[in-house]
Amino acid sequence: DSGVTQTPKHLITATGQRVTLRCSPRSGDLSVYWYQQSLDQGLQFLIQYYNGEERAKGNILERFSAQQFPDLHSELNLSSLELGDSALYFCASSVSETYTGELFFGEGSRLTVL
Amino acid sequence: AQSVAQPEDQVNVAEGNPLTVKCTYSVSGNPYLFWYVQYPNRGLQFLLKYITGDNLVKGSYGFEAEFNKSQTSFHLKKPSALVSDSALYFCAVRDNAGNNRKLIWGLGTSLAVNP
């Protein structure tokens, strides 16, 4: 158990809809990262927050947004969903702001868009 | 530009034999290098990292990796494979040059250990 909790584990929705994925980081970790994993594109970094502030942005679509709350949990909002958004979405956390140590990954949220 | 290559989509090895999962990288400055493993239907788990120091790094579950600066490689190895090592393995690199401190991931190598 990594200590990172993601909900929901599975989500099935229709095109055009909006969903919210939630992540609770490991106790004491200030950084939260969101990743998208699909068969054709591998593991894609979306966005990083550190102690409530956005720190780095990757290949995140404008239809997607995220935030980190004062209690350090994070939410990833996906809107106007398309079939191609179907993927496994991972949250990871770490103590540091930069990549010097281990990232702890949650079990992921599997999104299916029909 | 930073990049990571895992040249083999799949590696097959017999149980008890040594295994190698390859990773090469391209960065501007000194690299931080990482290996992660993903078991089916699970999140990624950290195996080991190279930041500085000894080129041979030992990690979890009996895995090790050797940093080779001249060949820009960081291959993952294990002397004797187990069936339970069957999983997806990811190499990642952070470039320490400039202000771009993102982690770049390889596409993963699927390891199958046959009994």
Side-chain angles (χ1 to χ4, degrees):
Chain A
D1 182 6
S2 68
V4 177
T5 303
Q6 287 189 247
T7 57
K9 291 192 186 306
H10 300 277
L11 192 55
I12 301 174
T13 189
T15 55
Q17 295 298 304
R18 172 190 168 96
V19 299
T20 297
L21 309 180
R22 182 188 169 100
C23 170
S24 293
R26 205 175 58 124
S27 178
D29 286 355
L30 299 177
S31 266
V32 170
Y33 310 78
W34 285 98
Y35 285 89
Q36 180 193 58
Q37 185 179 34
S38 58
L39 284 176
D40 56 343
Q41 295 206 15
L43 196 64
Q44 297 287 319
F45 167 67
L46 297 178
I47 197 163
Q48 178 202 358
Y49 283 85
Y50 178 79
N51 204 20
E53 295 188 6
E54 183 183 305
R55 274 292 179 263
K57 247 181 177 178
N59 302 321
I60 188 166
L61 300 172
E62 285 191 12
R63 300 183 285 109
F64 296 179
S65 65
Q67 55 183 326
Q68 186 179 28
F69 295 86
D71 67 352
L72 301 178
H73 92 272
S74 178
E75 293 181 357
L76 178 66
N77 300 297
L78 314 175
S79 61
S80 302
L81 286 168
E82 302 175 358
L83 295 177
D85 298 327
S86 295
L88 197 50
Y89 291 85
F90 284 110
C91 167
S93 72
S94 70
V95 171
S96 68
E97 183 178 352
T98 58
Y99 294 101
T100 55
E102 180 178 352
L103 293 183
F104 295 87
F105 282 79
E107 304 259 307
S109 292
R110 183 172 295 281
L111 173 66
T112 303
V113 182
L114 301 176
Chain B
Q2 306 174 68
S3 66
V4 175
Q6 293 183 242
E8 299 156 318
D9 290 337
Q10 180 151 345
V11 170
N12 294 294
V13 65
E15 187 175 28
N17 282 1
L19 70 87
T20 299
V21 182
K22 296 179 180 177
C23 173
T24 59
Y25 64 89
S26 175
V27 298
S28 302
N30 292 320
Y32 288 178
L33 293 153
F34 305 84
W35 275 103
Y36 283 79
V37 60
Q38 184 180 23
Y39 297 102
N41 301 313
R42 303 294 299 274
L44 280 73
Q45 295 178 35
F46 172 81
L47 279 178
L48 49 80
K49 68 179 179 183
Y50 171 84
I51 303 294
T52 187
D54 195 349
N55 289 343
L56 184 63
V57 179
K58 293 189 184 296
S60 307
Y61 311 121
F63 284 94
E64 59 186 30
E66 186 166 12
F67 170 61
N68 188 316
K69 189 172 183 178
S70 63
Q71 296 187 5
T72 62
S73 68
F74 190 57
H75 299 334
L76 182 70
K77 300 183 179 186
K78 188 174 182 181
S80 178
L82 300 173
V83 172
S84 57
D85 293 328
S86 299
L88 189 57
Y89 290 81
F90 290 94
C91 179
V93 65
R94 174 194 140 174
D95 190 348
N96 291 310
N99 293 321
N100 185 359
R101 302 297 173 93
K102 293 178 186 175
L103 198 60
I104 305 299
W105 295 82
L107 293 179
T109 298
S110 179
L111 172 67
V113 181
N114 308 305

